[in-house]
Amino acid sequence: MLCKSALIAFVTAAASLVSAAPTPTVAICALLTTSCSTDTDVLNFALSLEHLENAFYIGGLQRFSEKDFENAGYPAWVRGRFVQISEHESEHVRFLTGVLGDKAVLPCNYKFPYDSPQSFAALSMVFETVGASAYLGGAQFIENKDYLTAAASILAVESRQASWVSSSVLKLQPWNGPYDIPLTPSGAYSLAQPFIRDCPNKNPLVKTFPKLTLSQDQPTENSSITVKFNGEASKGPKYVAWLDGLDVLFSDVESNDKTTVPAKLDGTVYAAVVSSKETPNDGNMLSGFAIAQLPFNSAARFDV
């Protein structure tokens, strides 16, 4: 089995892939607002992510056998649990497709850069964490209570899966703190975009954001890092919005693209460059999200 530092390196490398690829146009409404907030929009947003997860697990488990996992240092039950997660994602696709009928978005063509069971596991943690955040952020827009209950049920499963991968497989923290992070649909899609090659013409289009690259994917608090994105030059002030639980912390982006990482960030954190000190939204986001990892041990305590 790899040492903990190597496992963290796999996770941060997987996270860096989220912000290191081109940003294709992908499916579904960019941000569920009053002009785009029907239950069909919300469920299609969820289905698009489930299609991606479903393809990820099917492809990874076809590529990596029980022997591959054994050679990577994992006990047999690890791959067995991933098989169960794959079955969960397939069921989520089946359920949402059945509810949406002929309005359901179709799966896209994907690209997953796993080359070992370790990188597969690291990417699994990214997808499960983002999936949980996406359901959490989208739930407020669901009007049908039956759909809301179903979405909450799926959210709970995604969160459990993320916790299992993080703690049992990667030997990291099983949670990020007392609260999870909600993501807007556009925010979640900015994290999914690097893994999407193209989508069927039938699928509606989504607004995309320039990729964001952090000079360190595992920064420490109060450290100075560089943020880069390929968007149009902004004449006004720029900030990095750090999403940690229900909190949004801001750090100024200096003229040399440097910013100081805020204190008290824990676990998996999302970061985006914004033009105002408001919760990231389509109006103020200058970049898509990137993922930063700030692992903590069992002695950590949280201020609530």
Side-chain angles (χ1 to χ4, degrees):
M1 180 66 69
L2 291 175
C3 66
K4 186 172 182 179
S5 60
L7 288 169
I8 292 174
F10 268 111
V11 174
T12 54
S16 69
L17 290 170
V18 170
S19 58
T23 54
T25 299
V26 294
I28 210 57
C29 178
L31 179 64
L32 299 177
T33 64
T34 54
S35 62
C36 182
S37 58
T38 69
D39 284 356
T40 297
D41 292 326
V42 183
L43 295 181
N44 262 324
F45 154 62
L47 178 57
S48 296
L49 294 180
E50 294 293 352
H51 277 315
L52 183 148
E53 289 181 297
N54 189 41
F56 168 76
Y57 286 108
I58 290 175
L61 292 170
Q62 288 177 343
R63 178 168 180 176
F64 303 118
S65 65
E66 293 182 7
K67 186 65 175 177
D68 292 327
F69 273 81
E70 179 183 339
N71 291 341
Y74 294 117
W77 55 264
V78 168
R79 189 180 186 280
R81 293 294 190 199
F82 276 125
V83 170
Q84 292 175 343
I85 291 176
S86 178
E87 292 169 347
H88 296 166
E89 305 303 353
S90 293
E91 171 58 21
H92 296 165
V93 168
R94 186 203 66 78
F95 170 76
L96 291 170
T97 301
V99 169
L100 289 163
D102 60 5
K103 295 181 180 178
V105 294
L106 300 175
C108 300
N109 295 314
Y110 308 101
K111 49 183 179 182
F112 302 115
Y114 39 51
D115 56 9
S116 67
Q118 292 96 332
S119 59
F120 170 81
L123 281 169
S124 171
M125 177 183 169
V126 170
F127 291 141
E128 296 300 330
T129 302
V130 172
S133 291
Y135 273 99
L136 186 58
Q140 62 182 303
F141 300 107
I142 299 177
E143 296 183 0
N144 183 297
K145 300 307 179 184
D146 291 333
Y147 294 164
L148 178 59
T149 298
S153 179
I154 294 174
L155 163 61
V157 172
E158 298 283 344
S159 185
R160 288 183 185 223
Q161 291 171 173
S163 179
W164 175 79
V165 176
S166 180
S167 59
S168 295
V169 181
L170 300 177
K171 307 303 180 185
L172 301 174
Q173 68 281 347
W175 42 70
N176 299 315
Y179 301 101
D180 265 335
I181 306 171
L183 278 176
T184 63
S186 55
Y189 268 106
S190 73
L191 292 164
Q193 286 167 6
F195 306 101
I196 300 174
R197 292 186 187 276
D198 55 68
C199 294
N201 291 333
K202 172 187 174 181
N203 291 2
L205 301 181
V206 62
K207 180 178 180 179
T208 60
F209 294 93
K211 62 183 179 182
L212 174 64
T213 302
L214 307 179
S215 61
Q216 297 180 45
D217 298 311
Q218 192 182 339
T220 57
E221 64 178 36
N222 299 318
S223 63
S224 178
I225 66 171
T226 302
V227 295
K228 293 286 187 181
F229 65 99
N230 294 329
E232 296 181 3
S234 176
K235 296 181 180 179
K238 293 183 292 185
Y239 313 93
V240 177
W242 303 85
L243 274 59
D244 183 16
L246 298 179
D247 294 327
V248 183
L249 286 73
F250 296 93
S251 60
D252 296 342
V253 178
E254 302 170 10
S255 58
N256 59 358
D257 296 327
K258 296 282 188 180
T259 194
T260 300
V261 179
K264 298 184 179 180
L265 297 176
D266 296 296
T268 299
V269 175
Y270 305 126
V273 176
V274 294
S275 60
S276 63
K277 290 186 177 182
E278 300 173 286
T279 300
N281 58 71
D282 273 13
N284 72 346
M285 286 175 61
L286 301 176
S287 78
F289 279 98
I291 297 178
Q293 295 289 343
L294 294 93
F296 57 90
N297 61 31
S298 61
R301 295 295 178 265
F302 303 98
D303 296 327
V304 180

